Amino acid sequence: MQTLVLEKKKIDLREFVQRRANESDCATLLKDEFRVVDKETGKVVCLYIKPREDADALSEIFDCCTTVKYQETFRTSGLKTTSRIFGYNPRNAIRKDFCSITSFATEQPNQHAKIMSGGAIAAKHYALHNSELYSEHLKTTKERIVEDYRHADVPFTSGIINDNNPLCYHFDSGNFKDVWSAMIVLKKEIGGGYLSMPEYGVMCEVKDKSIFYFDGQSILHGVTPITKMRPDSRRFSIVYYSLRAMWNCTPLREEIARARMRREQVENRRLSGKPVKT
């Protein structure tokens, strides 16, 4: 595996954030397995692998992704994205004020289970290649998140499947600090779709059945335009991450009781004519 010691360049983020990623933004395209070490800190900031021993399992996950019912959204840039979240959701005061598993798990339980199995594959190689960070990540998950919202011995709580999505430059938000997220890429008959990191001046090809690890909260990243070689070409990126808001979740029974109490409070305030607090 190639090790690159790179300096994190200071760039004008205003020129990049929410702009579409282009292949011309970085001078170097990396195609083989590598790790990047930050020149200043000496830390491994990202890792790219192609775990051949898991190729069959990853092929099954690709087939599963083709049967998922995706949801379309439009970002402020006007870019349409097709995706589906999985794993666990924290409370949302507006939509659902209690912690729960995602709707994907109840609507398509078999597909959800298969996607979650990819998290175990990602966790296995995380532990092999960066055991110290993995141990700290898993320890935090077990200490801060109740068992009802954990998946076996996997540090990740949640994730998203992206279907043929070229993503504008952004920083992830809401995750545990200073840990890695894992991105499994599965694709057929696709050109482009490189993961671009302009602060380090490199792009990663992210081949079929590959895994990319990094802290997306501290590294600016985006996905370059995707070219479909055939009408049925697909590129799935499955990102596994750990949501800090899950630290606030109580056991499921308590969450249900809390939600019922909150609902009663809202209804009572409406009946009394008082403003409803969110």
Side-chain angles (χ1 to χ4, degrees):
M1 178 182 292
Q2 183 181 15
T3 298
L4 302 169
V5 180
L6 300 176
E7 182 179 0
K8 189 175 184 180
K9 299 180 295 183
K10 292 183 179 179
I11 62 176
D12 187 348
L13 294 178
R14 294 172 297 181
E15 295 182 3
F16 286 87
V17 174
Q18 295 306 316
R19 171 172 75 73
R20 298 190 186 192
N22 297 311
E23 293 183 16
S24 59
D25 294 333
C26 298
T28 304
L29 174 62
L30 301 171
K31 298 184 177 183
D32 298 319
E33 293 184 323
F34 68 89
R35 62 171 63 89
V36 170
V37 175
D38 186 276
K39 186 176 181 180
E40 181 178 353
T41 66
K43 291 183 178 181
V44 179
V45 294
C46 64
L47 169 75
Y48 174 62
I49 61 170
K50 257 200 98 174
R52 293 160 184 81
E53 66 272 30
D54 295 302
D56 290 343
L58 293 173
S59 291
E60 291 179 4
I61 294 174
F62 176 90
D63 293 338
C64 171
C65 287
T66 64
T67 68
V68 171
K69 297 175 183 176
Y70 293 98
Q71 299 166 339
E72 292 184 352
T73 57
F74 287 87
R75 298 178 178 255
T76 54
S77 63
L79 189 67
K80 183 182 79 170
T81 59
T82 306
S83 61
R84 191 71 193 260
I85 60 171
F86 59 87
Y88 298 100
N89 272 334
R91 298 175 193 146
N92 185 303
I94 297 174
R95 292 193 297 271
K96 192 165 62 173
D97 196 19
F98 57 93
C99 300
S100 66
I101 199 162
T102 58
S103 61
F104 179 29
T106 55
E107 293 174 9
Q108 294 187 284
N110 293 334
Q111 286 90 336
H112 186 268
K114 179 62 72 173
I115 297 300
M116 293 293 281
S117 72
I121 295 173
K124 176 181 69 175
H125 293 284
Y126 188 173
L128 285 172
H129 290 276
N130 197 336
S131 59
E132 184 176 351
L133 185 61
Y134 171 82
S135 296
E136 285 298 317
H137 191 167
L138 184 60
K139 179 183 177 183
T140 300
T141 300
K142 289 185 172 182
E143 289 179 349
R144 301 303 300 264
I145 297 177
V146 298
E147 189 174 359
D148 288 342
Y149 309 106
R150 297 201 307 261
H151 179 61
D153 280 336
V154 172
F156 313 112
T157 67
S158 315
I160 187 169
I161 314 169
N162 292 295
D163 180 10
N164 286 352
N165 288 340
L167 298 176
C168 295
Y169 284 117
H170 64 283
F171 293 98
D172 297 338
S173 62
N175 299 342
F176 294 7
K177 290 185 177 180
D178 302 321
V179 299
W180 280 354
S181 296
M183 181 178 73
I184 293 177
V185 174
L186 307 168
K187 60 184 182 179
K188 289 183 179 179
E189 302 295 333
I190 286 289
Y194 305 146
L195 183 69
S196 177
M197 299 180 291
E199 292 169 298
Y200 286 101
V202 296
M203 293 181 295
C204 179
E205 185 180 19
V206 284
K207 296 179 180 179
D208 179 40
K209 303 184 188 71
S210 65
I211 312 178
F212 192 89
Y213 298 88
F214 73 130
D215 177 5
Q217 290 195 136
S218 64
I219 298 177
L220 182 73
H221 58 286
V223 176
T224 65
I226 295 169
T227 302
K228 298 173 68 174
M229 304 300 188
R230 300 187 337 193
D232 60 346
S233 297
R234 302 294 282 273
R235 179 193 185 276
F236 300 110
S237 63
I238 312 172
V239 186
Y240 299 85
Y241 47 78
S242 302
L243 290 174
R244 186 182 175 92
M246 297 299 299
W247 293 6
N248 300 321
C249 297
T250 58
L252 183 58
R253 288 180 179 272
E254 294 180 25
E255 286 292 323
I256 293 172
R258 178 185 177 279
R260 287 173 176 167
M261 182 184 69
R262 291 276 295 166
R263 181 61 181 269
E264 289 177 5
Q265 290 173 344
V266 169
E267 293 302 324
N268 288 335
R269 292 189 73 86
R270 282 179 177 156
L271 289 171
S272 66
K274 295 179 180 179
V276 177
K277 296 180 179 179
T278 58

